[in-house]
Amino acid sequence: MKYETVIGLEVHVELATQSKIFCSCSAHSYGAEPNEHVCPACCGMPGMLPVVNKRVVDYGMKAGLMLGCHINRVTTFDKKSYYYPDLPAAYQTTQWFAPVAVNGLVEIETSKGKKGVRIKQIHMEEDAGKLVHDIREDTTHVDFNRTSVPLIEIVSQPDLSSAEEVVAYLDRLKNLLRYARVAECEMAHGTMRCDVNLSVRPEGSDKLGVRTEMKNMNSIEAIKRAIEYETARHIDALENNTEVLVQETRRWDDIKGKSFAMRTKETAGDYRYFPDPNVMPVVIDDNWFDEIKSSLPEFPEVKRERYMSEYGLGEYDTEQITKSIALCECFEEAAKTCGDAKNAANWIISEVMSILNLRQMTYDMLTVSGKSLGELITLVSGGKVGRANAKKILAAMFDDASINPEEYANANGFVISNDTGLIDKVVKEVVESDPKSVADYKGGKEKALMALFGRCMKELKGNCDPQTLRKILIEYIDKI
Amino acid sequence: MIYTAKKDVNSACKIVAEDMLLTTDMPTAAGSKMLDGYMSLLEAEVLTILKDKGYGVCGKADVGEFAIDLLGETSYNGANTADGKLLNSSSEILKANEADAVIALDVNGTTRRAAAQNGLVSVKPTYGTVSRYGTVPVACSGETVSVMAKDAKTCRKVLDDIAGHDDKDGTSLPESEIAKKADAKEIKRIAIINDMMADVSDDVKANIDSAVAKLDVEVVNIDSSVIASSRPAWNILMSAELCNNVSRYDGVKYGHRAEKFSGIDELYTNSRTEAFGDLLKTAIIFGSETLSTENYMKVYDKALRTRRVIVEEFAKIFAEFDAVMIPACSKAFYTEDDVKADKYVSYKENFYTAPASITGLPAVVAGGVQLIGKAFSENALLELASKI
Ligand SMILES: [Zn+2]
């Protein structure tokens, strides 16, 4: 018999706000000491009251709109109770009754073509802390830096049917949420986490099979492996009666390549949801809604279309730049400033992206402004700064985004000199100091000229038009 | 124990804070062994405001465990009694003239019962007009900071000083709303609700009669079974919120931790079993049940809907009357035997205090009677109270 897999996802995404959801502690604990970013509120001490970080609602709305959702204009927060040491107040504030966004649709593309995935809802909630097990001392330490960091949970309908579709869906979420600059969505950093609900049924059947929920996949690859394993396990159970499938939560062990049922104690339980009386319903009025709506970026495919038709970029260039909203913004501004879109695209792809890669930065971490980049490009195309020096200026702009390229070029002697007297002087010195290279060149060794040229350029600190230098150098040697 | 902590202060106006208000220079236990010796990192906003205005906080008054009992008898320090009668710490301090006013957290009516039985005045202001920041949370949807003093004038002064918007409290009303207090109209027509008079002792009835006699207002007796249903609805909401709010006390981060346990589950269970008293444990179990998936709609949600009906009922009454007069408790005093006979007596006696708790309406107790008014009418209620 042929089977089909039915998959729904619950994706947790950490919102990229500066502060936590209900207190003013920093939401960025990467590299911080344990419990450095905590206060009585996010440590579950009595007395402090939750005050909703408006930014979190902004981002929740943006995410909802990017994923084609309806925004609930009155959205409420609820308490979900359970005991675990990483949850300091023994309840998580989440959205149970009126989530910020519902009924969305996300389009994905796979080898089988395009497909819509329905979004059931997106709700905002706070993250829990981290437990650190010390095997040596046989103790467990609690780190509350991450408690109350804002999350959204994106719940899809069971519209996915393969690992390929799941990967395409996750990529799409990541792309859209990054475009709206609401989240980083990096599984390796834990800013995107994914639980997979999976069942299997005979192809064509309209009855759903027994569903299991899998947790603990830490990479896209792990998700693929987990889906493939779990699908095979379900089919095997149905075909060969190897086991009886039960609705349960399973933990994926990527090293063993298997999923294991979690103890019922870890999963069962009644979360006793109820409205949080300390958080008043958030009312999204038209002004607020319109403000968010108008702040949304162009969708990636709209941008791609436009880059090719409006700027005349090729498919490869377009694909590269539209990988990141930061690159897009930088490109568009640079193109406007220098008036040469193709040149701007070139600079982004060959220079900007290679520095980002070299510095192991994500594309979204780009801080160089498109305006400055455009000015730099103008300096080069106008013959004021050599390409090699322009790269140095760009590197400096990565270190300090406030640098003005022209001022920096002037201050650091990066401006091309039209002073042929200086070039003549340098050529004379270099040629006279290296009679061997001169002889080699005259003997027919083209390479020797390159060496002389290089030394002249170095003496001139790169501030010379290469053609001019070459011409003067050859003329000088010919005269000897 | 009357005081859980004392401090020498040099101020013309001395305040005692109930031990439900967090202080950074004195411990806060909320009457629970769980928080024995707990030093807070933050101070109740109302105390900060009062200190800024020149008041001196000269001590903390003991309270019953998380302030849900009758008068404070469930404190882990033991009940305060005299000749078998239950005493209330805050009232004793005021009667002994050791402070000019007490700042309390009115969770389940303790302050109002205490004021009624000790000839004191207390005011529970309109919900959202006084910051709850820095109070030990129990039943957040209805509890308010309240003031108790020997007379209405002092209550008024202190309340005026602490009322106001606080950004740190998400339920705090905007200043423009709170300002409506200034427009409170003089009270001329009062309704006495017959349903609330049926089970009270003769001396409580006498208090009502005497108050009516002293006041130059029109008094009409009306029936309202809806107002009388405040108690079960409030008991459900209060217990559910309490259950959730005290879950944070698990022995992991601070507070009492059992010496013997193996594993995290036992750490929780043993610590809480050792540190919590009977009434609290019952409230936790009851509250937990009301929120279960099975019971949510038929119990908790029903209580929420009942709350709306009660609010509407008050609105109807206030279309005709300026205030409602009911008792604050069923009798003139409680004894140790009352609690021995029924551990959960405070869940019954709050019949009289639940209507104002569940609606957030202002309530003033004076002369052994309770006046409940429209939202923002506390000044008019206090004005009337000064004549009782
Ligand atoms: Zn915090």
Side-chain angles (χ1 to χ4, degrees), chain A residues 1 45 89 117 122 127 178 242 385 400 409 443 449 454 463 467 477:
Chain A
M1 199 185 289
M45 289 172 177
V117 179
I122 300 176
D127 208 345
R178 281 186 173 183
T242 45
V385 172
D400 177 3
L449 179 71
N463 294 321
Q467 299 306 328
I477 297 174

Side-chain angles (χ1 to χ4, degrees), chain A residues 20 23-25 37-43 48 147-148:
Chain A
K20 293 185 176 183
C23 60
S24 53
C25 294
H37 298 161
V38 297
C39 71
C42 55
C43 284
M48 256 171 103
T147 52
S148 286

Side-chain angles (χ1 to χ4, degrees), chain A residues 234-253:
Chain A
H234 279 238
I235 293 175
D236 201 31
L238 296 176
E239 289 261 281
N240 308 319
N241 292 319
T242 45
E243 60 180 311
V244 177
L245 293 173
V246 286
Q247 186 168 336
E248 63 187 357
T249 305
R250 298 177 70 86
R251 175 182 291 277
W252 174 249
D253 186 327

Side-chain angles (χ1 to χ4, degrees), chain A residues 298-314:
Chain A
E298 241 173 341
F299 270 58
E301 49 276 9
V302 178
K303 264 196 199 303
R304 277 198 281 274
E305 190 62 37
R306 194 164 61 83
Y307 282 11
M308 292 196 269
S309 62
E310 191 180 316
Y311 296 120
L313 298 189

